[in-house]
Amino acid sequence: MNDNLERLQKRLMGDGPAEKQVLLLKLIHEFETAPDFGKQYLADANSEPQRWIARIGALLARTGIEHKIAFQTARHTLVQYWSVAREPLRQKLLAAAEEIKLELELDGHEDIGQVYGPQRQYDFLRDLKEIILGAQKEVFVIDPYFDGQAFETYLGPLGNSCSIRVLCSRYSSEVASHVAAFGAQYGLCPELRKSSNLHDRLVIIDGSDCWIVGGSIKDAGCAFRGSWAVISRDLGHAFHGIAGSHFMPSGRLANR
């Protein structure tokens, strides 16, 4: 199946449980970090309040048409009610977050991001793939045992939709051949780096949403007890910066 068609079909089917967890994380983060609006309206698009409004607008639109309409209605009155607009917008974020929490609970997926028992290998593989396919800008995989098959399974379907970085070790030469073929087909060459000092297994989405994986990604289909946890966005940024320091210009594979 064409990779772009697969992503389109996935979007039409709606978000899976793993993507809902990511969306929930983002909604809560924006709710907790809402900036002070002040008393005077700020029209500057680069101001902190306006950038926050743009971010939550995108999030609320993703949660559903009713949240999108409610946000747009509120935005039309921002100039008139600027000094008191912050809390109603935060309330909309909270309502959307609670709705997603309820959906996850009703669907039996409230424990995603925790532990997958030995009989749930397919659930682990499916949910991890959903997280990766939900990326908008970048996927960054850190796994000492990441191999060519894992690249094909999890990163291949991304096509040229976002940038890709991989930090691995044992199978780096094997991954390099997949990277070369991927770049030749899509015109977008993933960045690959080898390090012998890797211990943690992380998947970082769009530079901030960080998932710690409790087993090698390449073994997701095997009989093991897999687990993962979502960590805070601040720590996600920190991990992204630390792991990113291993990288050299795109297309080069080097030891470190």
Side-chain angles (χ1 to χ4, degrees), residues 140-179:
F140 193 170
V141 174
I142 300 98
D143 182 348
Y145 299 102
F146 194 77
D147 63 5
Q149 183 59 51
F151 183 96
E152 181 178 340
T153 300
Y154 296 105
L155 303 181
L158 288 169
N160 58 4
S161 63
C162 66
S163 63
I164 298 170
R165 292 205 279 181
V166 177
L167 183 59
C168 59
S169 181
R170 177 172 294 185
Y171 304 104
S172 58
S173 296
E174 178 183 327
V175 175
S177 64
H178 285 263
V179 165

Side-chain angles (χ1 to χ4, degrees), residues 116-126 219-224:
Y116 291 71
Q119 303 305 317
R120 298 185 60 202
Q121 303 98 312
Y122 180 76
D123 289 345
F124 184 92
L125 185 151
R126 178 201 61 203
D219 295 327
C222 300
F224 81 116

Side-chain angles (χ1 to χ4, degrees), residues 68-88:
K68 178 179 180 180
I69 292 174
F71 168 79
Q72 291 176 338
T73 301
R75 190 166 191 173
H76 291 155
T77 63
L78 281 178
V79 177
Q80 185 178 0
Y81 300 106
W82 180 258
S83 63
V84 295
R86 178 178 179 270
E87 286 309 304

Side-chain angles (χ1 to χ4, degrees), residues 19-121:
E19 288 177 320
K20 287 180 180 178
Q21 284 281 358
V22 174
L23 187 56
L24 177 60
L25 181 69
K26 289 176 178 287
L27 288 166
I28 293 174
H29 171 76
E30 297 299 348
F31 173 82
E32 294 177 344
T33 60
D36 182 14
F37 278 26
K39 295 183 178 180
Q40 299 295 323
Y41 176 70
L42 295 173
D44 183 2
N46 287 320
S47 66
E48 191 174 357
Q50 290 289 1
R51 292 174 69 87
W52 180 77
I53 290 168
R55 288 197 303 272
I56 69 169
L59 287 174
L60 291 170
R62 183 64 182 267
T63 60
I65 186 64
E66 67 279 7
H67 294 292
K68 178 179 180 180
I69 292 174
F71 168 79
Q72 291 176 338
T73 301
R75 190 166 191 173
H76 291 155
T77 63
L78 281 178
V79 177
Q80 185 178 0
Y81 300 106
W82 180 258
S83 63
V84 295
R86 178 178 179 270
E87 286 309 304
L89 291 175
R90 290 181 78 237
Q91 290 170 8
K92 288 175 173 52
L93 288 171
L94 185 59
E98 291 298 326
E99 181 177 308
I100 292 176
K101 284 182 183 178
L102 180 60
E103 288 179 4
L104 289 169
E105 290 174 1
L106 293 175
D107 292 340
H109 291 293
E110 69 275 13
D111 61 344
I112 280 191
Q114 297 181 25
V115 177
Y116 291 71
Q119 303 305 317
R120 298 185 60 202
Q121 303 98 312

